[in-house]
């Protein structure tokens, strides 16, 4: 079993629990091309919002397995979330996510818009006002002090990153997050949780999600099929998890019934992208 907060290991190129650098799932999602740049909206978020218009706007969102933070920042900047928390078991990835957040704030500027429908002056955020080269040359914008006004009017200050393992075997009473979130995302991550923590850990994870969701909140799972599990333990990927694979009895097709028993009902499923996306609601 892996430690609660595993790191990649000095000089290691093999992720311990699927914590690939900038991991975004199957490259088939992008027709064999590399994943798009950070300023291009993640197609999964676009599809999810089209399926459920209320799922992101003004919502308190948790992204499990946030990696380097691209999805979290996009949710806060482009989907009008109230707050977004990203968690990952890899502290190195969380540091990179915090760096990515700082980088995005450093590119932005408040600009004045004089011509509006009611003829009032309006100020808006231009998130890409400064080119990447400017940030590389001059460094990141320092965060405002406790008594200083934020030059970006609080833009992206509703984002938090934490090192956390939601499948860890801890007493349920210590979670202290009942009803904390409107939407929980588990995009291309459940397989790794399952391989690392086995069937019991998977059930713990699903139970914690059910507990943390408010009434009528949503759990979104990008499903990784069983063939993906088998590929994951191959040499040069995560062969150290091969023993765990043999001990797993629950299959991805069983997830729906487990979640149903926890009070989460599947309300939408789409096969539009390379991997199916399932939306469950706490009813």
């Amino acid at each position: 079993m892996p430690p609660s907060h595993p790191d990649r290991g000095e000089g290691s190129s093999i992720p311990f629990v699927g914590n690939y650098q900038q991991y975004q799932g199957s490259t088939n999602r992008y027709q064999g091309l590399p994943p798009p740049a950070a300023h291009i909206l993640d197609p999964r978020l676009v599809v999810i919002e089209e399926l459920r218009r209320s799922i992101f706007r003004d919502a308190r969102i948790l992204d499990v397995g946030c990696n380097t933070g691209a999805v979290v920042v996009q949710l806060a900047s482009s989907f009008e979330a109230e707050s977004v928390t990203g968690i990952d078991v890899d502290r190195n990835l969380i540091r990179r996510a915090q760096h990515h957040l700082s980088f995005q704030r450093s590119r932005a500027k408040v600009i004045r818009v004089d011509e509006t429908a009611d003829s009032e002056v309006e100020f808006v955020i231009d998130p890409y006002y400064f080119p990447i080269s400017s940030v590389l040359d001059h460094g990141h914008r320092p965060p405002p002090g406790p008594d200083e006004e934020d030059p970006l009017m609080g833009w992206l200050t509703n984002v938090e990153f934490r090192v956390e393992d939601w499948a860890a075997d801890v007493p349920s009473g210590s979670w202290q997050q009942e009803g904390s979130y409107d939407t929980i995302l588990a995009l291309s991550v459940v397989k790794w949780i399952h391989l690392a923590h086995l069937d019991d850990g998977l059930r713990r994870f699903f139970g914690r999600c059910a507990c943390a969701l408010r009434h009528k909140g949503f759990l979104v799972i990008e499903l990784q099929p069983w063939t993906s599990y088998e590929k994951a333990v191959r040499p040069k990927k995560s062969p150290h998890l091969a023993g765990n694979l043999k001990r797993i009895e629950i299959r991805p097709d069983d997830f729906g019934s487990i979640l149903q028993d926890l009070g989460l009902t599947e309300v939408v499923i789409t096969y539009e992208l390379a991997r199916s996306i399932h939306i469950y609601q706490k009813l």
Side-chain angles (χ1 to χ4, degrees), residues 8-253:
R8 190 173 304 272
E10 190 69 29
S12 174
S13 62
I14 297 179
F16 199 82
V17 286
N19 43 326
Y20 295 92
Q21 299 281 350
Q22 298 179 315
Y23 180 67
Q24 298 187 49
S26 172
T27 56
N28 292 334
R29 181 180 302 118
Y30 312 107
Q31 288 73 51
L33 299 174
H39 65 278
I40 299 176
L41 292 180
D42 190 305
R44 297 171 297 180
L45 301 183
V46 175
V47 167
I48 293 166
E49 188 189 43
E50 289 174 349
L51 294 171
R52 275 289 185 273
R53 290 290 178 183
S54 62
I55 199 166
F56 296 144
R57 185 187 296 270
D58 299 324
R60 297 163 296 171
I61 303 174
L62 174 71
D63 182 23
V64 180
C66 66
N67 204 270
T68 53
V71 165
V72 170
V73 171
Q74 286 190 7
L75 286 167
S77 63
S78 301
F79 292 89
E80 302 182 51
E82 177 184 317
S83 65
V84 192
T85 301
I87 62 173
D88 204 287
V89 298
D90 189 332
R91 59 176 57 87
N92 293 323
L93 290 178
I94 290 297
R95 281 194 287 264
R96 288 173 62 89
Q98 291 166 337
H99 183 273
H100 174 63
L101 174 64
S102 173
F103 182 82
Q104 292 304 116
R105 276 184 51 90
S106 299
R107 292 194 63 190
K109 184 178 180 179
V110 174
I111 59 173
R112 174 172 171 161
V113 180
D114 293 317
E115 297 181 5
T116 61
D118 52 9
S119 300
E120 293 184 2
V121 174
E122 182 181 357
F123 294 92
V124 298
I125 295 288
D126 182 346
Y128 307 112
Y129 181 88
F130 295 106
I132 293 175
S133 59
S134 175
V135 181
L136 295 177
D137 288 342
H138 301 286
H140 290 205
R141 175 189 285 114
D147 299 320
E148 296 178 342
E149 183 178 352
D150 184 2
L152 296 180
M153 305 187 302
W155 187 67
L156 292 184
T157 58
N158 59 339
V159 171
E160 177 187 10
F161 292 105
R162 297 199 304 262
V163 178
E164 199 166 331
D165 185 351
W166 262 36
D169 188 7
V170 297
S172 58
S174 67
W175 294 347
Q176 299 178 342
Q177 292 176 320
E178 184 173 357
S180 298
Y181 300 104
D182 301 292
T183 301
I184 296 177
L185 300 180
L187 304 179
S188 286
V189 71
V190 175
K191 170 184 71 178
W192 298 110
I193 292 171
H194 201 180
L195 282 170
H197 294 283
L198 304 174
D199 291 343
D200 287 345
L202 179 74
R203 291 183 182 276
R204 281 195 302 270
F205 171 68
F206 284 157
R208 191 166 183 178
C209 288
C211 178
L213 280 174
R214 67 165 181 81
H215 179 58
K216 294 189 177 180
F218 297 99
L219 170 64
V220 183
I221 295 177
E222 182 183 22
L223 195 66
Q224 295 149 294
W226 185 251
T227 54
S228 176
Y229 282 62
E230 294 171 328
K231 292 177 182 178
V233 299
R234 290 177 179 176
K236 297 186 179 180
K237 289 196 173 182
S238 299
H240 55 283
L241 294 175
N244 281 7
L245 179 68
K246 297 176 182 178
R247 299 168 61 189
I248 289 175
E249 296 182 2
I250 296 173
R251 296 294 186 266
D253 289 343

